Amino acid sequence: MVKKVQPVTHQPLTTSKNISSEQLMNDLHYQQSKQIIQSLLNKGLISTTEFEDIDTLNKQSFLPLLGPGNVNTSGL
C-alpha cells in the first residue's frame, strides 16, 4: 500500500519588525526559566499558584516575544 503525501500549504512565519538580539535573549531566558519552574511544579516542589506567580514575575523581567494574547491555542 502506498500512502499519498499531501503538499505543504502553510507559509513561513514572518514578522513586520526586526527583532533585536536583546529581545531574543530575553525570550530565551524566559523560556528557560519557565522550563525550570515547570520542572519544580511537576516534582511537587511548588504549587500551581506559586508557579503562576513566578511565571508572571518572569514575564515582567524577561518580556517574552510571544505573550499569551499573541498565540491562538484553540486548535490544540
Side-chain angles (χ1 to χ4, degrees):
M1 182 167 104
V2 176
K3 290 185 179 181
K4 186 174 180 180
V5 177
Q6 296 293 325
V8 176
T9 59
H10 69 277
Q11 296 295 320
L13 295 175
T14 58
T15 179
S16 60
K17 65 177 184 173
N18 293 329
I19 299 171
S20 71
S21 60
E22 182 180 359
Q23 289 171 310
L24 287 173
M25 290 306 294
N26 278 338
D27 191 69
L28 174 65
H29 291 147
Y30 169 73
Q31 297 301 329
Q32 289 173 331
S33 68
K34 188 163 185 177
Q35 286 179 349
I36 292 168
I37 61 172
Q38 183 69 53
S39 176
L40 293 173
L41 178 65
N42 293 345
K43 292 177 182 178
L45 298 173
I46 61 174
S47 68
T48 303
T49 303
E50 290 170 318
F51 172 87
E52 291 169 355
D53 291 345
I54 295 167
D55 190 49
T56 298
L57 291 172
N58 286 339
K59 285 177 186 173
Q60 293 170 4
S61 298
F62 300 123
L63 299 172
L65 291 172
L66 294 177
N70 296 336
V71 177
N72 179 1
T73 57
S74 61
L76 300 177

